[in-house]
Amino acid sequence: MSASAFQRCIHPHCAATVDLGDTSFQCPKCGGLLDVAYDWNRLPVPKSLKHFESKWANRNNPLDFSGVWRFRELFPFAADDQILTIGEGQTLCQKADAVGQFAGMKPGCLYLQYEGMNPSGSFKDNGMTAAFTHALSVGARRAACASTGNTSASLAIYCAASQQMRAVIFIGSGKISYGKLSQALEHGALTLQIAGDFDDALRRVQEVSKQLGIYLVNSINPFRLEGQKSIMFRMLEALNWEVPDWVVVPGGNLGNTSAFGNAFIQLLELGLITKAPRIAVINAAGADTFYQLYEKNGVRWNGGAPDGRKIGVYMKYLDDADKRADTLASAIEINRPVNLPKALRALDRCGGVVREVTDGEMLDAKAKIGAGGLGCEPASATTVAAVLKLVREGVIDPGERVVCILTAHLLKDPTATVAYHSSDPKMFEEILGKRGVRRASYANKAVQVPNQLDAIVQAIEVYA
Ligand SMILES: *Cc1c(COP(=O)(O)O)cnc(C)c1O
Ligand SMILES: [Zn+2]
């Protein structure tokens, strides 16, 4: 199988190829990022996407049951017996009219894809199962990542499930929620708390992995992105293979953005769809490098040669001003997105836009998503907050079909949620006010009642 799948530099003018089993994840010629690529002349191509429809019903085969691997013919880099699945990707893409109404959409037009339903509670499992499978195939014994939390939780759970690999996790100090940290610890990962932020941790994990030959599962790893393509395949399946007008996704390291772009580029090339959706990538205002570069500085893919000077100037400004990413949405609190060039390519092919939302806007949207019946963490809610904006701007038409990706579960990061709904002004100020959040427009405050039957009955009659 190995000859029909390989790695290839993303820059068309370079296009250097690398062996499938190589784990440096960097182009040896130009230092660029790599894609996993396939020789489709030597591989079976499904005739239509309907081919995948009934696979999940084959529950006896864990690979067909997995919401990732049942699409494995679209990322055929591993033999079936090398694949490690823990049942990831059983997620929902469903209509959400109440949330749609909040965002200014017409009924039947807004969909939420709830990736919080994954085994570790975030979309990261879609990619981790693929990276992990690659790691096993090259005989790795240790796997490492730097993480704002969800990647480490996912790595930890796959290492524990494999019973043959050790997870090494780098986190910035004080920047990880208890929900996510508890997963890393509980699943037995070696957890290194670096005195620095996420960008520091990412730099270190790359150095250390090189020195010790540890398998790296950060989103620079192209195999993760192969698995994350399945998020879009499931979305299309839920929409009866009709391509929506928009996919809206939070942007951190821009792995999802890149993977989604790759999914649509591939489906177009294979003739399995006839148009790509537009992609809207949403930054938090406190970590908005992609927004600044794409919307304010006009940086584009430019046929594989993005304007390195403009990017360099902006990165230097971040350094010189010692500007640190700062948002309640810890999952996207990233100022140096690793997959920037791949994301530019995705937006080029899909006609993308980038927007930023404040922490206050995202928390209001999050409360509305919760009231609509799906619990997500702050980063996920940037999507709905941005749809509201894009509709007001006239970029999204209220009658278009829009899918927002809810990247992780509410219980990942309960602190912001409790503070938002809190009736304690000190707690609100401590956690939210300090970050510039002025009010919680949709707070559902707990009601204080004396320990008396009459008072309790009266409170219920008044409030419910
Ligand atoms: C990792 C993560 C993101 C950011 O995804 P990227 O692929 O890095 O852009 C967004 N939301 C949540 C909950 C995450 O865990
Ligand atoms: Zn190259």
Side-chain angles (χ1 to χ4, degrees), residues 144-458:
C145 69
S147 176
T148 60
N150 283 331
T151 303
S152 55
S154 186
L155 176 62
I157 212 172
Y158 278 89
C159 280
S162 81
Q163 288 289 305
Q164 51 177 300
M165 220 185 289
R166 186 79 199 274
V168 182
I169 285 161
F170 287 57
I171 55 178
S173 52
K175 288 290 192 185
I176 185 168
S177 75
Y178 269 13
K180 300 172 191 179
L181 181 59
S182 64
Q183 291 178 290
L185 300 174
E186 183 85 352
H187 296 304
L190 170 63
T191 306
L192 302 173
Q193 218 148 0
I194 313 288
D197 66 6
F198 174 78
D199 295 319
D200 297 323
L202 186 61
R203 227 167 297 167
R204 291 296 179 205
V205 76
Q206 282 170 288
E207 288 168 11
V208 171
S209 298
K210 207 171 200 174
Q211 190 168 331
L212 296 179
I214 299 177
Y215 187 90
L216 197 61
V217 299
N218 267 100
S219 46
I220 192 173
N221 179 319
F223 293 90
R224 264 183 65 189
L225 303 192
E226 288 303 286
Q228 286 170 221
K229 291 194 304 197
S230 71
I231 300 170
M232 291 296 97
F233 302 150
R234 292 197 298 277
M235 173 195 76
L236 291 175
E237 183 177 48
L239 300 178
N240 206 16
W241 311 112
E242 282 173 33
V243 177
D245 297 295
W246 289 90
V247 174
V248 188
V249 60
N253 256 324
L254 303 174
N256 255 347
T257 306
S258 306
F260 296 179
N262 282 357
F264 296 118
I265 292 167
Q266 176 184 2
L267 293 181
L268 285 168
E269 278 175 9
L270 295 179
L272 294 170
I273 55 172
T274 53
K275 69 152 198 173
R278 299 189 69 186
I279 296 182
V281 182
I282 317 306
N283 276 164
D288 66 346
T289 295
F290 194 43
Y291 174 72
Q292 292 296 335
L293 290 176
Y294 190 83
E295 297 290 348
K296 298 291 172 191
N297 287 284
V299 174
R300 291 292 183 274
W301 171 240
N302 191 28
D307 189 335
R309 196 193 54 86
K310 277 186 187 164
I311 297 169
V313 166
Y314 189 78
M315 295 302 170
K316 184 163 182 315
Y317 150 73
L318 290 180
D319 280 340
D320 291 350
D322 196 24
K323 202 166 146 53
R324 301 272 158 173
D326 183 22
T327 167
L328 279 162
S330 58
I332 52 173
E333 193 175 36
I334 294 168
N335 263 346
R336 287 174 179 73
V338 167
N339 286 300
L340 175 66
K342 285 184 176 176
L344 291 171
R345 179 178 60 181
L347 295 201
D348 180 70
R349 300 296 169 79
C350 297
V353 301
V354 186
R355 289 294 181 272
E356 59 175 356
V357 300
T358 65
D359 285 3
E361 290 168 334
M362 121 188 25
L363 291 181
D364 281 345
K366 180 169 147 314
K368 283 293 186 184
I369 295 165
L374 294 176
C376 66
E377 70 165 88
S380 311
T382 56
T383 54
V384 170
V387 172
L388 177 68
K389 263 192 175 168
L390 288 164
V391 168
R392 283 190 185 149
E393 287 177 23
V395 175
I396 291 181
D397 183 274
E400 288 186 300
R401 194 186 261 186
V402 177
V403 180
C404 292
I405 309 301
L406 300 182
T407 42
H409 200 281
L410 173 74
L411 297 177
K412 285 282 192 171
D413 189 0
T415 310
T417 307
V418 173
Y420 183 89
H421 295 291
S422 167
S423 36
D424 172 2
K426 249 174 57 197
M427 182 180 190
F428 186 93
E429 183 50 35
E430 185 59 30
I431 295 165
L432 305 182
K434 269 193 342 210
R435 307 301 258 284
V437 180
R438 288 289 146 258
R439 68 186 161 271
S441 304
Y442 309 108
N444 175 29
K445 292 194 165 87
V447 177
Q448 310 290 328
V449 278
N451 184 14
Q452 279 169 6
L453 184 58
D454 286 357
I456 294 168
V457 168
Q458 202 198 347

Side-chain angles (χ1 to χ4, degrees), residues 9 14 27 30:
C9 177
C14 173
C27 174
C30 76

Side-chain angles (χ1 to χ4, degrees), residues 27-173:
C27 174
K29 254 168 78 187
C30 76
L33 296 168
L34 300 176
D35 281 324
V36 183
Y38 307 95
D39 180 358
W40 291 107
N41 294 321
R42 305 177 51 191
L43 290 161
V45 179
K47 290 208 171 45
S48 109
L49 287 168
K50 275 198 171 300
H51 166 77
F52 295 102
E53 239 163 51
S54 55
K55 294 231 177 200
W56 62 270
N58 184 15
R59 290 179 172 241
N60 292 332
N61 180 352
L63 298 187
D64 285 343
F65 181 63
S66 162
V68 174
W69 294 105
R70 64 193 157 92
F71 296 102
R72 63 193 178 282
E73 286 156 278
L74 295 172
F75 40 95
F77 68 83
D80 280 8
D81 61 3
Q82 290 174 328
I83 295 172
L84 179 75
T85 175
I86 55 172
E88 57 288 318
Q90 310 301 326
T91 66
L92 301 165
C93 174
Q94 53 190 12
K95 224 175 272 176
D97 281 348
V99 182
Q101 191 181 12
F102 163 74
M105 299 292 298
K106 288 188 180 153
C109 292
L110 186 81
Y111 288 72
L112 300 176
Q113 175 140 335
Y114 189 37
E115 291 297 317
M117 289 286 280
N118 274 290
S120 80
S122 86
F123 80 83
K124 297 294 197 301
D125 297 346
N126 290 282
M128 200 55 69
T129 183
F132 214 84
T133 293
H134 183 246
L136 288 174
S137 78
V138 300
R141 287 183 306 108
R142 293 185 291 200
C145 69
S147 176
T148 60
N150 283 331
T151 303
S152 55
S154 186
L155 176 62
I157 212 172
Y158 278 89
C159 280
S162 81
Q163 288 289 305
Q164 51 177 300
M165 220 185 289
R166 186 79 199 274
V168 182
I169 285 161
F170 287 57
I171 55 178
S173 52

